[in-house]
Amino acid sequence: MTAVGIDAIEIRTGKLRLDLPNTFAPKKGEDPEKYTKGLGLEASSFPDVYEDIVTMGANAAKRLMDRKGIAPEDVGRIDVATESAFDHAKPVSTYIAGCLEQVYDGDFRHANKGERKFACVAGTQAIDDAYNWIRAGRNRGRSALVIATDTALYERGDPGEATQGAGAVAMLVDEDPSIVELSTDQGYGSMDETDFLKPNQQFPSVDGKRSVQVYLSRMREALEDYEAVAGPVGVEDVSYAPFHTPFPGMVRKAGLFAYRHITRDSPVEDEIAAAIGRRQPREDEYDSREAYEEAIREYMDELKGAEQYREWYAETIEPTLELSRVVGNWYTGSVHLARASALRHAAARGLDSEFVGRRLLVGSYGSGAQAEIHAETVRDGWREEIEALDIDDQLESRYDLAFEEYEQVHDVHDFDKSVEVEELTAPEAEFVFTGWGRMNERTYEYVE
Ligand code: CAA
């Protein structure tokens, strides 16, 4: 069976940066370590006044097409995943295609375009759609452009405000891919939940504490479902585990649960037991559910400090969080940023051909709620593709916001407000938002 997977990736961050410990924390009267140590965040990315989900997505897609030498006719579908859409009928993919058609000779007239919605898991679902379309033989040799783009803003004063972010990840899904092959095996954990939602409103209604629990529960179910088809996952099987990262502290919790799960009944559990003096609690050893849960909490507290766990976390999870830590939550793009972060780390460690064939265990999550787990196998073009990313330069050249500027930028991107704010950076060789057309559509142009 021909391999299908991700052939190219481009990342586009919003051009503004909010420093959380130094700029945000003092204004909130909070200890900076709540952000750096608790949530695990240093900074958030924001869009400048001329940026939005369309410009970030189109700019990422253009760089991808230029770098790979792809013409519009080579693309058979454009799927955009977002939870920041501004149009209930016309999908964001048509706006992005319109932008790209301004700069290429050809057009996307015969490409299937759509928009995927299921909170943050939609980016992974869009990849699934592309994968299935190729596997079904409907692609006519063409590839799929999947773009996960979001402006993850919360109401001012909401606890989620600290986890905001903005950016896009464009991915080319194709046969014989350069970066990773996707597994056919998948696991799902899906339930009707009201943890985070936007019922006809721009900023989310969030039950933050509950959302953390729902994330963990659905992720566990997805892992169990994945193992039911793919077989048990062992510590040695996985080089990196990129998870959806609303903030790195969330993945720190998920990583601990995942480790407990994959080491249960394995020799690693015995090794840890030798170090901390106890094996994992089993429910049938306790008289009540409460007593069992209490024993689990105690075990997890000790597991956190075990050398085996700390090493695994440092090698398998921590590297996936490097980008997220400095840009915040990108919703649909977040897990794809985590994958890129892991691969970037592997390249920085000097890995090359010995990394080919290694496995990533990818955990996506969308509020509402659904988790999905699948595996990815590293392909031999991975290093060249990852080294072509310019995300470090983009991060370096972000404009540092003063708190008052942050307040204005938040207002600019608030659909209910109409404020005039000067741009803080100068656009160059990119798509920009220019205003509204006669039918209230948003308009864009490419500036040299
Ligand atoms: N030093 C070190 N750590 C500190 C600290 C300090 N001075 N002060 C606080 N902390 C720690 C806390 O102990 C806590 O860590 P633990 O959970 O490990 O105990 C962490 O920092 C956060 O502190 P709080 O829980 O007090 O923070 P909060 O209540 O202000 O907000 C939140 C946390 C509820 C998650 C909030 O950020 C939020 O609502 N976020 C949006 C929802 C979200 O991201 N949910 C995640 C799952 S849902 C999802 O994944 C979908 C999605 O993308 C939105």
Side-chain angles (χ1 to χ4, degrees):
M1 200 159 63
T2 318
V4 176
I6 302 173
D7 189 53
I9 300 176
E10 285 296 342
I11 302 171
R12 180 79 178 196
T13 176
K15 290 174 146 187
L16 310 178
R17 172 183 185 275
L18 178 66
D19 187 311
L20 292 169
N22 298 308
T23 306
F24 190 73
K27 291 285 178 185
K28 292 275 157 186
E30 298 268 19
D31 179 353
E33 294 201 338
K34 170 173 175 179
Y35 304 99
T36 52
K37 296 212 165 124
L39 296 170
L41 287 165
E42 295 289 338
S44 318
S45 281
F46 287 90
D48 203 341
V49 300
Y50 56 85
E51 293 183 289
D52 68 8
I53 50 171
V54 171
T55 67
M56 292 186 297
N59 287 318
K62 179 173 183 301
R63 190 169 193 272
L64 187 150
M65 289 177 66
D66 288 348
R67 196 168 61 69
K68 300 292 280 186
I70 289 170
E73 291 74 15
D74 302 328
V75 175
R77 54 188 296 149
I78 306 179
D79 290 304
V80 170
T82 187
E83 46 189 298
S84 321
F86 47 80
D87 193 319
H88 287 306
K90 185 173 152 59
V92 171
S93 50
T94 61
Y95 286 91
I96 291 182
C99 285
L100 295 169
E101 284 170 352
Q102 290 180 29
V103 296
Y104 293 110
D105 287 339
D107 59 49
F108 298 96
R109 190 177 301 263
H110 301 298
N112 184 6
K113 304 177 192 103
E115 191 172 301
R116 256 290 187 176
K117 178 175 76 179
F118 196 145
C120 309
V121 77
T124 298
Q125 291 183 318
I127 290 181
D128 277 356
D129 293 341
Y131 177 93
N132 295 337
W133 169 73
I134 294 171
R135 276 264 171 270
R138 291 176 137 182
N139 60 323
R140 301 185 232 155
R142 298 173 298 170
S143 44
L145 190 54
V146 171
I147 302 165
T149 182
D150 270 300
T151 297
L153 292 182
Y154 289 77
E155 194 90 60
R156 295 289 315 283
D158 186 287
E161 194 183 359
T163 66
Q164 297 175 121
V169 182
M171 291 162 282
L172 197 70
V173 179
D174 209 349
E175 286 168 88
D176 195 18
S178 295
I179 305 180
V180 286
E181 175 183 359
L182 303 171
S183 65
T184 305
D185 293 333
Q186 288 177 298
Y188 287 100
S190 189
M191 291 272 282
D192 175 13
E193 298 276 6
T194 44
D195 53 334
F196 169 112
L197 52 156
K198 298 182 179 178
N200 282 327
Q201 62 197 48
Q202 182 188 4
F203 302 130
S205 300
V206 194
D207 185 342
K209 303 286 180 209
R210 175 151 174 72
S211 73
V212 169
Q213 294 313 316
V214 175
Y215 176 117
L216 295 173
S217 303
R218 302 293 84 80
M219 205 62 106
R220 190 197 63 232
E221 290 161 4
L223 181 56
E224 285 167 356
D225 192 41
Y226 172 75
E227 288 184 312
V229 281
V233 175
V235 170
E236 294 304 320
D237 303 335
V238 176
S239 289
Y240 294 103
F243 284 8
H244 169 58
T245 313
F247 53 94
M250 180 71 245
V251 179
R252 193 173 56 221
K253 289 185 207 295
L256 188 63
F257 278 93
Y259 187 79
R260 175 168 67 101
H261 180 89
I262 64 177
T263 54
R264 192 174 307 136
D265 295 323
S266 78
V268 182
E269 186 188 359
D270 300 333
E271 264 178 53
I272 294 171
I276 67 176
R278 61 198 292 179
R279 296 182 79 236
Q280 296 190 21
R282 269 56 176 183
E283 191 161 4
D284 58 8
E285 296 163 359
Y286 295 85
D287 294 337
S288 66
R289 180 82 198 167
E290 291 69 37
Y292 169 59
E293 284 174 2
E294 181 55 33
I296 288 183
R297 274 192 291 276
E298 286 168 12
Y299 178 81
M300 301 282 269
D301 266 352
E302 289 178 37
L303 181 62
K304 245 187 258 177
E307 201 184 311
Q308 291 87 342
Y309 169 70
R310 293 169 78 91
E311 262 176 33
W312 174 83
Y313 184 84
E315 282 173 14
T316 315
I317 305 284
E318 186 65 41
T320 69
L321 306 175
E322 283 170 4
L323 291 174
S324 159
R325 222 177 262 303
V326 294
V327 301
N329 194 356
W330 287 11
Y331 288 162
T332 55
S334 160
V335 64
H336 308 291
L337 203 58
R339 176 199 296 105
S341 188
L343 297 174
R344 203 165 139 268
H345 180 266
R349 270 174 61 201
L351 293 180
D352 203 336
S353 55
E354 67 275 37
F355 192 47
V356 176
R358 292 296 302 161
R359 286 264 164 136
L360 313 182
L361 189 73
V362 181
S364 306
Y365 173 75
S367 296
Q370 180 161 299
E372 189 264 8
I373 301 251
H374 68 267
E376 297 181 358
T377 307
V378 177
R379 303 269 297 174
D380 59 6
W382 76 276
R383 196 180 154 111
E384 197 183 324
E385 286 297 322
I386 291 306
E387 284 181 337
L389 291 175
D390 70 344
I391 184 62
D392 289 310
D393 296 339
Q394 290 184 51
L395 293 174
E396 190 68 17
S397 53
R398 281 181 299 175
Y399 175 92
D400 243 308
L401 289 167
F403 190 79
E404 296 66 30
E405 289 170 328
Y406 156 66
E407 294 189 296
Q408 291 176 344
V409 165
H410 198 287
D411 284 351
V412 166
H413 295 289
D414 183 334
F415 297 160
D416 291 335
K417 292 190 176 158
S418 176
V419 289
E420 287 291 320
V421 176
E422 285 290 304
E423 57 201 34
L424 294 156
T425 60
E428 195 188 334
E430 65 192 283
F431 296 103
V432 297
F433 166 67
T434 51
W436 285 266
R438 73 184 173 92
M439 291 177 75
N440 206 25
E441 75 278 20
R442 288 171 78 90
T443 57
Y444 300 90
E445 70 180 27
Y446 188 77
V447 295
E448 293 298 340

